[in-house]
Amino acid sequence: MTEPFQVCGRCKKMRIAARRSFTSIDLFAGAGGLSTGFAQAGFRLLAANDFDIEAAETFKLSHPDTSFIDGPIQGISTRDILEVTGIKKGE
């Protein structure tokens, strides 16, 4: 990845560490701007949700490897998120 600006050594080390260990789930994701920032910081995106159909379509185009749960958040259970992400309770 080419950096558009100067990145300090400490920041590079943090980004490398993040690639190894951090994940995210984006609720109320919209078109995916926050997820894009997390991905650029080295996070692995596990899943996202939004009820807006157009925003969801944009998100899916921008983040094709991220599972997306369509619909209002009130209709999503913890079990749904665990199933989609493949993580286990307590992880």
Side-chain angles (χ1 to χ4, degrees), residues 1-39:
M1 179 169 75
T2 304
E3 300 293 340
F5 49 85
Q6 186 71 20
V7 178
C8 71
R10 181 171 180 252
C11 295
K12 286 180 183 177
K13 288 177 187 175
M14 289 172 60
R15 185 174 290 161
I16 290 168
R19 285 190 184 117
R20 294 187 191 132
S21 59
F22 293 115
T23 57
S24 68
I25 297 171
D26 192 353
L27 304 176
F28 314 102
L34 182 63
S35 288
T36 297
F38 275 122

Side-chain angles (χ1 to χ4, degrees):
M1 179 169 75
T2 304
E3 300 293 340
F5 49 85
Q6 186 71 20
V7 178
C8 71
R10 181 171 180 252
C11 295
K12 286 180 183 177
K13 288 177 187 175
M14 289 172 60
R15 185 174 290 161
I16 290 168
R19 285 190 184 117
R20 294 187 191 132
S21 59
F22 293 115
T23 57
S24 68
I25 297 171
D26 192 353
L27 304 176
F28 314 102
L34 182 63
S35 288
T36 297
F38 275 122
Q40 289 174 347
F43 283 66
R44 187 167 52 95
L45 307 171
L46 300 179
N49 159 261
D50 203 282
F51 74 97
D52 184 281
I53 295 168
E54 288 83 15
E57 291 304 315
T58 300
F59 184 99
K60 292 172 188 177
L61 290 171
S62 299
H63 303 279
D65 296 329
T66 301
S67 297
F68 196 90
I69 305 169
D70 291 289
I73 196 151
Q74 300 92 322
I76 299 170
S77 69
T78 304
R79 183 177 304 211
D80 294 332
I81 293 172
L82 293 175
E83 284 180 15
V84 167
T85 61
I87 58 177
K88 294 176 179 46
K89 187 176 180 179
E91 288 187 313

